[in-house]
Amino acid sequence: MLKRLGFYKASIIAGFIMLCCTVQAADLKQRQSQLKEIQKQISAQQSNLKDAGRQREKLVKLLKQDEQAIANAAKKVTQTKASLRVTDKKLAELDSRKVELDKLKKTQQQTLANQLTSAYLAGNHDYTKMMLNQQNPATIERLLAYYQYLNDARIDSINKLQQTISELDSIEAEQRQQKTKLNALILEQEQQAKILTQEQTQRQQTLQQLQRTLNSQGAKLEQLQIEEASLKRVVEQALNAMKANPSMEGLHKQRQLKWPTKGRIRSGFGSPRSGQVKWKGVILAAPEGQSVEAIAAGKVIYADWLRGFGMVMVVDHGKGYMSLYGHAQTLLKNAGDSVNKGETIALVGRSGGQTEPGLYFEVRHKGQAVDPARYCKR
């Protein structure tokens, strides 16, 4: 019966996974169709700058959809991996407990067998005969107490053995349940990994087409200025949100914080991006999928896709301080969530149209960007 229930459960989970995959596949197909249509329009209107600008905006919108789909898929993969670790740990604990119970069962069985053998060999198993043969009341009382003790010991041994057998049965049933869950999670992870690969391929095609529209220095500079304006609006929104959370202690007393992820600085604070536009944070080169940790305790006040910076999270640390994490593959916290120092909040990615994986990281005080190296040390 348990095996049949486990099979039905696995079938239901597998069916749900397939339904989700069908919906995601339809969404991916629609975006692929949109990209092809935009490519046709660009080819037909290559000489018209106004039209090229409109097509660029369409591509940016499509890139946002692609990167949000990647973020969703990557988040599900991360969650499934965490569930797999929990299930594996639970199975290991059950296996360990089962070994202990098997040993205990053998010991209890041997103890009970020894008690029964001793009673039989003593020849006193006929309780009525033993009572009739005794003349001294004191002797009878002692024997009664002795045999009551032996009887209680046997009953206790039997009860303990029954409890052990019952717990073993429960553990074996739970093991079967956990293994069914594990198999379903493995299937789910395989499907999610496939979806993630498809979304990354679609995103790469969109990005290549977008880069073709940015074939002049002027267009690239215009794009950076638009991105800067987008970031400025987010910072202003964050500043307004921070006014409602004045209780946190900020960063001014902290000078030995860890960088949010391990990696070399590819672009330093204040270094030029294009023309007069300079970096207001740093780019940390790091492998895609690597953990991004909060540099200090705080509250998430922004977690969404932002033009030019991809999947972005802003954390309020109080006293006018905030930290910003961009180009993430996925965000593992939502706006309104509280985070602890060192807690994983995102994964390194290449969102925002980046060709190389890395993390964009800013520290701001009262809206002004400051060098993160003032607070984070290697």
Side-chain angles (χ1 to χ4, degrees):
M1 183 67 181
L2 285 171
K3 288 184 178 178
R4 193 177 304 142
L5 285 173
F7 173 76
Y8 289 154
K9 183 179 178 182
S11 299
I12 291 169
I13 294 171
F16 178 73
I17 292 168
M18 293 303 293
L19 177 62
C20 292
C21 292
T22 302
V23 173
Q24 289 166 321
D27 179 58
L28 176 61
K29 191 173 182 179
Q30 182 182 6
R31 283 183 277 118
Q32 288 172 337
S33 177
Q34 289 174 345
L35 178 59
K36 288 180 181 178
E37 183 62 29
I38 294 170
Q39 288 171 333
K40 288 180 183 178
Q41 293 175 11
I42 289 174
S43 298
Q45 303 168 348
Q46 195 70 46
S47 60
N48 191 321
L49 292 176
K50 185 180 288 187
D51 288 335
R54 280 200 291 266
Q55 302 309 326
R56 188 183 305 134
E57 290 305 306
K58 289 181 180 178
L59 285 167
V60 169
K61 184 178 179 181
L62 188 58
L63 181 67
K64 175 182 178 180
Q65 293 173 356
D66 292 342
E67 293 185 342
Q68 286 177 328
I70 288 172
N72 289 334
K75 188 173 185 177
K76 288 179 181 177
V77 169
T78 302
Q79 290 171 339
T80 303
K81 285 180 178 177
S83 296
L84 280 169
R85 286 194 294 270
V86 171
T87 305
D88 279 336
K89 184 179 178 181
K90 182 65 176 177
L91 274 170
E93 290 172 354
L94 289 171
D95 288 341
S96 177
R97 181 58 180 159
K98 187 175 183 298
V99 170
E100 291 176 3
L101 288 173
D102 281 331
K103 290 180 180 178
L104 181 60
K105 179 183 174 184
K106 289 178 182 178
T107 302
Q108 290 171 337
Q109 287 174 329
Q110 187 61 49
T111 299
L112 184 59
N114 290 341
Q115 288 174 345
L116 294 172
T117 301
S118 297
Y120 183 83
L121 292 176
N124 294 324
H125 47 281
D126 189 340
Y127 184 75
T128 304
K129 183 180 178 181
M130 182 265 308
M131 289 292 295
L132 293 172
N133 287 338
Q134 302 301 321
Q135 302 298 322
N136 189 332
T139 303
I140 294 174
E141 188 176 351
R142 284 197 301 273
L143 286 171
L144 282 172
Y146 172 69
Y147 276 93
Q148 185 62 46
Y149 169 78
L150 292 178
N151 191 51
D152 289 345
R154 283 195 293 270
I155 291 173
D156 184 59
S157 296
I158 291 169
N159 288 337
K160 287 179 178 178
L161 180 58
Q162 288 176 334
Q163 289 173 2
T164 300
I165 292 171
S166 177
E167 188 176 350
L168 270 170
D169 290 341
S170 297
I171 283 178
E172 287 171 356
E174 190 173 357
Q175 280 179 317
R176 288 192 292 271
Q177 183 181 1
Q178 291 294 328
K179 285 175 181 176
T180 299
K181 181 180 177 181
L182 186 65
N183 291 334
L185 286 170
I186 291 170
L187 175 62
E188 184 179 354
Q189 188 180 33
E190 289 172 353
Q191 294 291 340
Q192 289 167 350
K194 185 178 179 180
I195 291 168
L196 181 58
T197 301
Q198 292 173 342
E199 296 292 359
Q200 288 172 331
T201 301
Q202 164 65 17
R203 183 257 185 193
Q204 184 62 26
Q205 293 171 353
T206 303
L207 182 58
Q208 288 172 352
Q209 188 61 48
L210 178 60
Q211 288 173 334
R212 291 191 190 103
T213 70
L214 297 171
N215 52 11
S216 70
Q217 194 67 23
K220 291 178 182 176
L221 181 58
E222 179 189 356
Q223 185 77 0
L224 286 176
Q225 289 169 339
I226 294 171
E227 293 168 5
E228 284 281 304
S230 299
L231 182 60
K232 184 179 179 181
R233 284 194 297 272
V234 167
V235 170
E236 288 171 353
Q237 292 172 12
L239 283 171
N240 291 330
M242 289 171 72
K243 293 175 182 178
N245 298 287
S247 60
M248 290 178 286
E249 60 184 29
L251 302 177
H252 59 291
K253 295 180 180 179
Q254 305 185 56
R255 289 291 188 275
Q256 295 295 324
L257 299 173
K258 288 184 178 180
W259 289 90
T261 196
K262 292 180 180 179
R264 63 178 180 82
I265 295 178
R266 189 163 64 210
S267 299
F269 177 79
S271 61
R273 293 185 67 184
S274 180
Q276 298 300 314
V277 180
K278 295 183 178 180
W279 287 106
K280 290 182 170 59
V282 300
I283 293 282
L284 293 167
E288 192 163 13
Q290 183 169 287
S291 295
V292 176
E293 299 175 352
I295 60 167
K299 184 176 182 179
V300 179
I301 49 179
Y302 183 89
D304 205 346
W305 190 89
L306 181 65
R307 182 170 180 159
F309 298 91
M311 301 305 295
V312 170
M313 183 177 293
V314 181
V315 179
D316 171 20
H317 301 291
K319 309 298 183 185
Y321 287 92
M322 70 174 79
S323 57
L324 183 149
Y325 312 80
H327 300 323
Q329 183 186 59
T330 189
L331 306 175
L332 303 178
K333 296 291 181 179
N334 300 313
D337 289 348
S338 295
V339 297
N340 298 317
K341 181 179 180 180
E343 184 176 359
T344 298
I345 56 174
L347 300 179
V348 173
R350 58 181 81 199
S351 61
Q354 298 300 298
T355 55
E356 297 294 330
L359 175 71
Y360 178 66
F361 174 56
E362 278 190 14
V363 173
R364 291 193 178 230
H365 183 228
K366 296 181 178 178
Q368 298 300 311
V370 295
D371 188 352
R374 289 173 54 183
Y375 302 94
C376 300
K377 304 296 180 184
R378 294 193 177 280

PDB file of all heavy atoms in Angstrom, residues 15-44:
ATOM      1  N   GLY A  15       3.655  14.841 -13.099  1.00  0.00           N
ATOM      2  CA  GLY A  15       2.664  15.478 -13.967  1.00  0.00           C
ATOM      3  C   GLY A  15       2.648  16.975 -13.795  1.00  0.00           C
ATOM      4  O   GLY A  15       2.540  17.735 -14.760  1.00  0.00           O
ATOM      5  N   PHE A  16       2.772  17.432 -12.530  1.00  0.00           N
ATOM      6  CA  PHE A  16       2.810  18.867 -12.255  1.00  0.00           C
ATOM      7  C   PHE A  16       4.037  19.522 -12.885  1.00  0.00           C
ATOM      8  O   PHE A  16       3.955  20.604 -13.452  1.00  0.00           O
ATOM      9  CB  PHE A  16       2.826  19.102 -10.745  1.00  0.00           C
ATOM     10  CG  PHE A  16       2.911  20.548 -10.350  1.00  0.00           C
ATOM     11  CD1 PHE A  16       1.823  21.391 -10.505  1.00  0.00           C
ATOM     12  CD2 PHE A  16       4.103  21.063  -9.859  1.00  0.00           C
ATOM     13  CE1 PHE A  16       1.920  22.722 -10.151  1.00  0.00           C
ATOM     14  CE2 PHE A  16       4.201  22.387  -9.509  1.00  0.00           C
ATOM     15  CZ  PHE A  16       3.095  23.223  -9.653  1.00  0.00           C
ATOM     16  N   ILE A  17       5.173  18.827 -12.789  1.00  0.00           N
ATOM     17  CA  ILE A  17       6.410  19.351 -13.383  1.00  0.00           C
ATOM     18  C   ILE A  17       6.252  19.498 -14.893  1.00  0.00           C
ATOM     19  O   ILE A  17       6.638  20.510 -15.488  1.00  0.00           O
ATOM     20  CB  ILE A  17       7.605  18.437 -13.057  1.00  0.00           C
ATOM     21  CG1 ILE A  17       7.924  18.493 -11.555  1.00  0.00           C
ATOM     22  CG2 ILE A  17       8.841  18.840 -13.853  1.00  0.00           C
ATOM     23  CD1 ILE A  17       8.885  17.412 -11.107  1.00  0.00           C
ATOM     24  N   MET A  18       5.667  18.479 -15.530  1.00  0.00           N
ATOM     25  CA  MET A  18       5.478  18.515 -16.975  1.00  0.00           C
ATOM     26  C   MET A  18       4.542  19.651 -17.383  1.00  0.00           C
ATOM     27  O   MET A  18       4.743  20.314 -18.403  1.00  0.00           O
ATOM     28  CB  MET A  18       4.907  17.179 -17.465  1.00  0.00           C
ATOM     29  CG  MET A  18       5.868  16.008 -17.307  1.00  0.00           C
ATOM     30  SD  MET A  18       7.455  16.282 -18.148  1.00  0.00           S
ATOM     31  CE  MET A  18       6.903  16.285 -19.857  1.00  0.00           C
ATOM     32  N   LEU A  19       3.487  19.920 -16.561  1.00  0.00           N
ATOM     33  CA  LEU A  19       2.572  21.021 -16.849  1.00  0.00           C
ATOM     34  C   LEU A  19       3.296  22.352 -16.780  1.00  0.00           C
ATOM     35  O   LEU A  19       3.129  23.211 -17.649  1.00  0.00           O
ATOM     36  CB  LEU A  19       1.406  20.998 -15.847  1.00  0.00           C
ATOM     37  CG  LEU A  19       0.381  22.145 -15.958  1.00  0.00           C
ATOM     38  CD1 LEU A  19      -0.304  22.090 -17.324  1.00  0.00           C
ATOM     39  CD2 LEU A  19      -0.648  22.049 -14.849  1.00  0.00           C
ATOM     40  N   CYS A  20       4.124  22.525 -15.733  1.00  0.00           N
ATOM     41  CA  CYS A  20       4.904  23.765 -15.594  1.00  0.00           C
ATOM     42  C   CYS A  20       5.843  23.944 -16.779  1.00  0.00           C
ATOM     43  O   CYS A  20       6.006  25.045 -17.304  1.00  0.00           O
ATOM     44  CB  CYS A  20       5.709  23.751 -14.289  1.00  0.00           C
ATOM     45  SG  CYS A  20       4.673  23.844 -12.816  1.00  0.00           S
ATOM     46  N   CYS A  21       6.483  22.846 -17.189  1.00  0.00           N
ATOM     47  CA  CYS A  21       7.421  22.905 -18.315  1.00  0.00           C
ATOM     48  C   CYS A  21       6.699  23.299 -19.601  1.00  0.00           C
ATOM     49  O   CYS A  21       7.231  24.048 -20.426  1.00  0.00           O
ATOM     50  CB  CYS A  21       8.109  21.552 -18.502  1.00  0.00           C
ATOM     51  SG  CYS A  21       9.224  21.142 -17.165  1.00  0.00           S
ATOM     52  N   THR A  22       5.447  22.800 -19.787  1.00  0.00           N
ATOM     53  CA  THR A  22       4.672  23.128 -20.980  1.00  0.00           C
ATOM     54  C   THR A  22       4.369  24.621 -21.025  1.00  0.00           C
ATOM     55  O   THR A  22       4.496  25.275 -22.062  1.00  0.00           O
ATOM     56  CB  THR A  22       3.357  22.321 -20.986  1.00  0.00           C
ATOM     57  OG1 THR A  22       3.669  20.938 -20.949  1.00  0.00           O
ATOM     58  CG2 THR A  22       2.548  22.614 -22.238  1.00  0.00           C
ATOM     59  N   VAL A  23       3.962  25.186 -19.863  1.00  0.00           N
ATOM     60  CA  VAL A  23       3.669  26.621 -19.783  1.00  0.00           C
ATOM     61  C   VAL A  23       4.915  27.438 -20.068  1.00  0.00           C
ATOM     62  O   VAL A  23       4.892  28.412 -20.826  1.00  0.00           O
ATOM     63  CB  VAL A  23       3.110  26.972 -18.379  1.00  0.00           C
ATOM     64  CG1 VAL A  23       2.958  28.470 -18.232  1.00  0.00           C
ATOM     65  CG2 VAL A  23       1.768  26.281 -18.164  1.00  0.00           C
ATOM     66  N   GLN A  24       6.061  27.045 -19.469  1.00  0.00           N
ATOM     67  CA  GLN A  24       7.305  27.775 -19.678  1.00  0.00           C
ATOM     68  C   GLN A  24       7.781  27.664 -21.116  1.00  0.00           C
ATOM     69  O   GLN A  24       8.310  28.613 -21.683  1.00  0.00           O
ATOM     70  CB  GLN A  24       8.376  27.246 -18.711  1.00  0.00           C
ATOM     71  CG  GLN A  24       8.095  27.644 -17.272  1.00  0.00           C
ATOM     72  CD  GLN A  24       8.934  26.862 -16.287  1.00  0.00           C
ATOM     73  OE1 GLN A  24       9.173  25.669 -16.460  1.00  0.00           O
ATOM     74  NE2 GLN A  24       9.381  27.512 -15.233  1.00  0.00           N
ATOM     75  N   ALA A  25       7.571  26.498 -21.725  1.00  0.00           N
ATOM     76  CA  ALA A  25       7.971  26.304 -23.121  1.00  0.00           C
ATOM     77  C   ALA A  25       7.158  27.204 -24.045  1.00  0.00           C
ATOM     78  O   ALA A  25       7.685  27.773 -25.014  1.00  0.00           O
ATOM     79  CB  ALA A  25       7.786  24.838 -23.513  1.00  0.00           C
ATOM     80  N   ALA A  26       5.857  27.365 -23.746  1.00  0.00           N
ATOM     81  CA  ALA A  26       5.003  28.235 -24.557  1.00  0.00           C
ATOM     82  C   ALA A  26       5.456  29.685 -24.446  1.00  0.00           C
ATOM     83  O   ALA A  26       5.491  30.426 -25.443  1.00  0.00           O
ATOM     84  CB  ALA A  26       3.546  28.088 -24.105  1.00  0.00           C
ATOM     85  N   ASP A  27       5.828  30.106 -23.218  1.00  0.00           N
ATOM     86  CA  ASP A  27       6.315  31.472 -23.002  1.00  0.00           C
ATOM     87  C   ASP A  27       7.630  31.699 -23.745  1.00  0.00           C
ATOM     88  O   ASP A  27       7.840  32.752 -24.367  1.00  0.00           O
ATOM     89  CB  ASP A  27       6.516  31.702 -21.506  1.00  0.00           C
ATOM     90  CG  ASP A  27       7.044  33.097 -21.213  1.00  0.00           C
ATOM     91  OD1 ASP A  27       6.384  34.068 -21.586  1.00  0.00           O
ATOM     92  OD2 ASP A  27       8.131  33.194 -20.602  1.00  0.00           O
ATOM     93  N   LEU A  28       8.515  30.729 -23.713  1.00  0.00           N
ATOM     94  CA  LEU A  28       9.797  30.820 -24.412  1.00  0.00           C
ATOM     95  C   LEU A  28       9.577  30.917 -25.915  1.00  0.00           C
ATOM     96  O   LEU A  28      10.221  31.716 -26.609  1.00  0.00           O
ATOM     97  CB  LEU A  28      10.659  29.602 -24.076  1.00  0.00           C
ATOM     98  CG  LEU A  28      12.007  29.489 -24.803  1.00  0.00           C
ATOM     99  CD1 LEU A  28      12.892  30.680 -24.473  1.00  0.00           C
ATOM    100  CD2 LEU A  28      12.706  28.190 -24.432  1.00  0.00           C
ATOM    101  N   LYS A  29       8.666  30.121 -26.438  1.00  0.00           N
ATOM    102  CA  LYS A  29       8.373  30.133 -27.876  1.00  0.00           C
ATOM    103  C   LYS A  29       7.849  31.493 -28.313  1.00  0.00           C
ATOM    104  O   LYS A  29       8.201  31.999 -29.392  1.00  0.00           O
ATOM    105  CB  LYS A  29       7.345  29.047 -28.193  1.00  0.00           C
ATOM    106  CG  LYS A  29       7.154  28.800 -29.679  1.00  0.00           C
ATOM    107  CD  LYS A  29       6.243  27.598 -29.917  1.00  0.00           C
ATOM    108  CE  LYS A  29       6.095  27.340 -31.426  1.00  0.00           C
ATOM    109  NZ  LYS A  29       5.224  26.149 -31.672  1.00  0.00           N
ATOM    110  N   GLN A  30       7.015  32.121 -27.463  1.00  0.00           N
ATOM    111  CA  GLN A  30       6.485  33.440 -27.780  1.00  0.00           C
ATOM    112  C   GLN A  30       7.600  34.480 -27.851  1.00  0.00           C
ATOM    113  O   GLN A  30       7.632  35.317 -28.761  1.00  0.00           O
ATOM    114  CB  GLN A  30       5.462  33.846 -26.717  1.00  0.00           C
ATOM    115  CG  GLN A  30       4.811  35.205 -27.000  1.00  0.00           C
ATOM    116  CD  GLN A  30       3.839  35.607 -25.903  1.00  0.00           C
ATOM    117  OE1 GLN A  30       3.730  34.924 -24.889  1.00  0.00           O
ATOM    118  NE2 GLN A  30       3.149  36.707 -26.092  1.00  0.00           N
ATOM    119  N   ARG A  31       8.547  34.423 -26.907  1.00  0.00           N
ATOM    120  CA  ARG A  31       9.661  35.380 -26.916  1.00  0.00           C
ATOM    121  C   ARG A  31      10.590  35.156 -28.108  1.00  0.00           C
ATOM    122  O   ARG A  31      11.142  36.088 -28.676  1.00  0.00           O
ATOM    123  CB  ARG A  31      10.439  35.301 -25.596  1.00  0.00           C
ATOM    124  CG  ARG A  31       9.710  36.012 -24.469  1.00  0.00           C
ATOM    125  CD  ARG A  31      10.472  36.027 -23.167  1.00  0.00           C
ATOM    126  NE  ARG A  31      10.275  34.798 -22.425  1.00  0.00           N
ATOM    127  CZ  ARG A  31      11.247  33.964 -22.112  1.00  0.00           C
ATOM    128  NH1 ARG A  31      12.484  34.200 -22.491  1.00  0.00           N
ATOM    129  NH2 ARG A  31      10.999  32.879 -21.418  1.00  0.00           N
ATOM    130  N   GLN A  32      10.778  33.899 -28.500  1.00  0.00           N
ATOM    131  CA  GLN A  32      11.576  33.606 -29.687  1.00  0.00           C
ATOM    132  C   GLN A  32      10.921  34.190 -30.934  1.00  0.00           C
ATOM    133  O   GLN A  32      11.603  34.744 -31.808  1.00  0.00           O
ATOM    134  CB  GLN A  32      11.724  32.087 -29.839  1.00  0.00           C
ATOM    135  CG  GLN A  32      12.642  31.456 -28.809  1.00  0.00           C
ATOM    136  CD  GLN A  32      12.629  29.937 -28.849  1.00  0.00           C
ATOM    137  OE1 GLN A  32      11.664  29.328 -29.315  1.00  0.00           O
ATOM    138  NE2 GLN A  32      13.698  29.320 -28.358  1.00  0.00           N
ATOM    139  N   SER A  33       9.600  34.107 -30.987  1.00  0.00           N
ATOM    140  CA  SER A  33       8.850  34.675 -32.110  1.00  0.00           C
ATOM    141  C   SER A  33       8.976  36.193 -32.125  1.00  0.00           C
ATOM    142  O   SER A  33       9.148  36.812 -33.195  1.00  0.00           O
ATOM    143  CB  SER A  33       7.378  34.267 -32.006  1.00  0.00           C
ATOM    144  OG  SER A  33       6.622  34.856 -33.034  1.00  0.00           O
ATOM    145  N   GLN A  34       8.902  36.826 -30.946  1.00  0.00           N
ATOM    146  CA  GLN A  34       9.056  38.279 -30.849  1.00  0.00           C
ATOM    147  C   GLN A  34      10.426  38.722 -31.332  1.00  0.00           C
ATOM    148  O   GLN A  34      10.566  39.723 -32.031  1.00  0.00           O
ATOM    149  CB  GLN A  34       8.849  38.720 -29.396  1.00  0.00           C
ATOM    150  CG  GLN A  34       7.410  38.626 -28.916  1.00  0.00           C
ATOM    151  CD  GLN A  34       7.289  38.936 -27.430  1.00  0.00           C
ATOM    152  OE1 GLN A  34       8.279  38.956 -26.695  1.00  0.00           O
ATOM    153  NE2 GLN A  34       6.066  39.175 -26.978  1.00  0.00           N
ATOM    154  N   LEU A  35      11.463  37.970 -30.973  1.00  0.00           N
ATOM    155  CA  LEU A  35      12.823  38.306 -31.382  1.00  0.00           C
ATOM    156  C   LEU A  35      12.963  38.247 -32.896  1.00  0.00           C
ATOM    157  O   LEU A  35      13.560  39.137 -33.520  1.00  0.00           O
ATOM    158  CB  LEU A  35      13.822  37.349 -30.713  1.00  0.00           C
ATOM    159  CG  LEU A  35      15.299  37.551 -31.084  1.00  0.00           C
ATOM    160  CD1 LEU A  35      15.762  38.960 -30.731  1.00  0.00           C
ATOM    161  CD2 LEU A  35      16.175  36.514 -30.395  1.00  0.00           C
ATOM    162  N   LYS A  36      12.417  37.227 -33.512  1.00  0.00           N
ATOM    163  CA  LYS A  36      12.484  37.090 -34.971  1.00  0.00           C
ATOM    164  C   LYS A  36      11.781  38.262 -35.656  1.00  0.00           C
ATOM    165  O   LYS A  36      12.263  38.792 -36.662  1.00  0.00           O
ATOM    166  CB  LYS A  36      11.864  35.767 -35.400  1.00  0.00           C
ATOM    167  CG  LYS A  36      12.709  34.553 -35.063  1.00  0.00           C
ATOM    168  CD  LYS A  36      12.038  33.258 -35.518  1.00  0.00           C
ATOM    169  CE  LYS A  36      12.887  32.046 -35.141  1.00  0.00           C
ATOM    170  NZ  LYS A  36      12.225  30.769 -35.531  1.00  0.00           N
ATOM    171  N   GLU A  37      10.638  38.689 -35.112  1.00  0.00           N
ATOM    172  CA  GLU A  37       9.895  39.802 -35.689  1.00  0.00           C
ATOM    173  C   GLU A  37      10.687  41.104 -35.578  1.00  0.00           C
ATOM    174  O   GLU A  37      10.745  41.905 -36.522  1.00  0.00           O
ATOM    175  CB  GLU A  37       8.553  39.939 -34.962  1.00  0.00           C
ATOM    176  CG  GLU A  37       7.644  41.016 -35.525  1.00  0.00           C
ATOM    177  CD  GLU A  37       7.243  40.749 -36.967  1.00  0.00           C
ATOM    178  OE1 GLU A  37       7.173  39.584 -37.377  1.00  0.00           O
ATOM    179  OE2 GLU A  37       7.019  41.743 -37.701  1.00  0.00           O
ATOM    180  N   ILE A  38      11.316  41.324 -34.428  1.00  0.00           N
ATOM    181  CA  ILE A  38      12.136  42.529 -34.243  1.00  0.00           C
ATOM    182  C   ILE A  38      13.325  42.524 -35.205  1.00  0.00           C
ATOM    183  O   ILE A  38      13.680  43.552 -35.790  1.00  0.00           O
ATOM    184  CB  ILE A  38      12.628  42.638 -32.786  1.00  0.00           C
ATOM    185  CG1 ILE A  38      11.440  42.861 -31.841  1.00  0.00           C
ATOM    186  CG2 ILE A  38      13.615  43.792 -32.616  1.00  0.00           C
ATOM    187  CD1 ILE A  38      11.785  42.745 -30.364  1.00  0.00           C
ATOM    188  N   GLN A  39      13.946  41.365 -35.383  1.00  0.00           N
ATOM    189  CA  GLN A  39      15.078  41.249 -36.311  1.00  0.00           C
ATOM    190  C   GLN A  39      14.665  41.620 -37.734  1.00  0.00           C
ATOM    191  O   GLN A  39      15.406  42.298 -38.449  1.00  0.00           O
ATOM    192  CB  GLN A  39      15.625  39.822 -36.267  1.00  0.00           C
ATOM    193  CG  GLN A  39      16.382  39.499 -34.992  1.00  0.00           C
ATOM    194  CD  GLN A  39      16.741  38.032 -34.868  1.00  0.00           C
ATOM    195  OE1 GLN A  39      16.062  37.165 -35.413  1.00  0.00           O
ATOM    196  NE2 GLN A  39      17.801  37.739 -34.129  1.00  0.00           N
ATOM    197  N   LYS A  40      13.481  41.190 -38.134  1.00  0.00           N
ATOM    198  CA  LYS A  40      12.976  41.529 -39.477  1.00  0.00           C
ATOM    199  C   LYS A  40      12.770  43.037 -39.610  1.00  0.00           C
ATOM    200  O   LYS A  40      13.124  43.646 -40.622  1.00  0.00           O
ATOM    201  CB  LYS A  40      11.652  40.809 -39.734  1.00  0.00           C
ATOM    202  CG  LYS A  40      11.774  39.314 -39.965  1.00  0.00           C
ATOM    203  CD  LYS A  40      10.398  38.701 -40.208  1.00  0.00           C
ATOM    204  CE  LYS A  40      10.494  37.187 -40.381  1.00  0.00           C
ATOM    205  NZ  LYS A  40       9.146  36.572 -40.568  1.00  0.00           N
ATOM    206  N   GLN A  41      12.198  43.651 -38.569  1.00  0.00           N
ATOM    207  CA  GLN A  41      11.947  45.092 -38.608  1.00  0.00           C
ATOM    208  C   GLN A  41      13.241  45.886 -38.655  1.00  0.00           C
ATOM    209  O   GLN A  41      13.335  46.894 -39.361  1.00  0.00           O
ATOM    210  CB  GLN A  41      11.116  45.490 -37.384  1.00  0.00           C
ATOM    211  CG  GLN A  41       9.699  44.938 -37.391  1.00  0.00           C
ATOM    212  CD  GLN A  41       8.945  45.256 -36.117  1.00  0.00           C
ATOM    213  OE1 GLN A  41       9.386  46.057 -35.311  1.00  0.00           O
ATOM    214  NE2 GLN A  41       7.792  44.604 -35.929  1.00  0.00           N
ATOM    215  N   ILE A  42      14.245  45.428 -37.920  1.00  0.00           N
ATOM    216  CA  ILE A  42      15.543  46.121 -37.914  1.00  0.00           C
ATOM    217  C   ILE A  42      16.181  46.051 -39.298  1.00  0.00           C
ATOM    218  O   ILE A  42      16.722  47.036 -39.804  1.00  0.00           O
ATOM    219  CB  ILE A  42      16.468  45.515 -36.847  1.00  0.00           C
ATOM    220  CG1 ILE A  42      15.972  45.894 -35.448  1.00  0.00           C
ATOM    221  CG2 ILE A  42      17.911  45.980 -37.034  1.00  0.00           C
ATOM    222  CD1 ILE A  42      16.727  45.240 -34.322  1.00  0.00           C
ATOM    223  N   SER A  43      16.121  44.895 -39.909  1.00  0.00           N
ATOM    224  CA  SER A  43      16.698  44.721 -41.249  1.00  0.00           C
ATOM    225  C   SER A  43      16.010  45.626 -42.264  1.00  0.00           C
ATOM    226  O   SER A  43      16.650  46.201 -43.147  1.00  0.00           O
ATOM    227  CB  SER A  43      16.570  43.261 -41.692  1.00  0.00           C
ATOM    228  OG  SER A  43      17.289  42.429 -40.819  1.00  0.00           O
ATOM    229  N   ALA A  44      14.689  45.772 -42.124  1.00  0.00           N
ATOM    230  CA  ALA A  44      13.931  46.586 -43.079  1.00  0.00           C
ATOM    231  C   ALA A  44      14.094  48.080 -42.836  1.00  0.00           C
ATOM    232  O   ALA A  44      13.902  48.890 -43.745  1.00  0.00           O
ATOM    233  CB  ALA A  44      12.452  46.218 -43.001  1.00  0.00           C
TER     234      ALA A  44
END
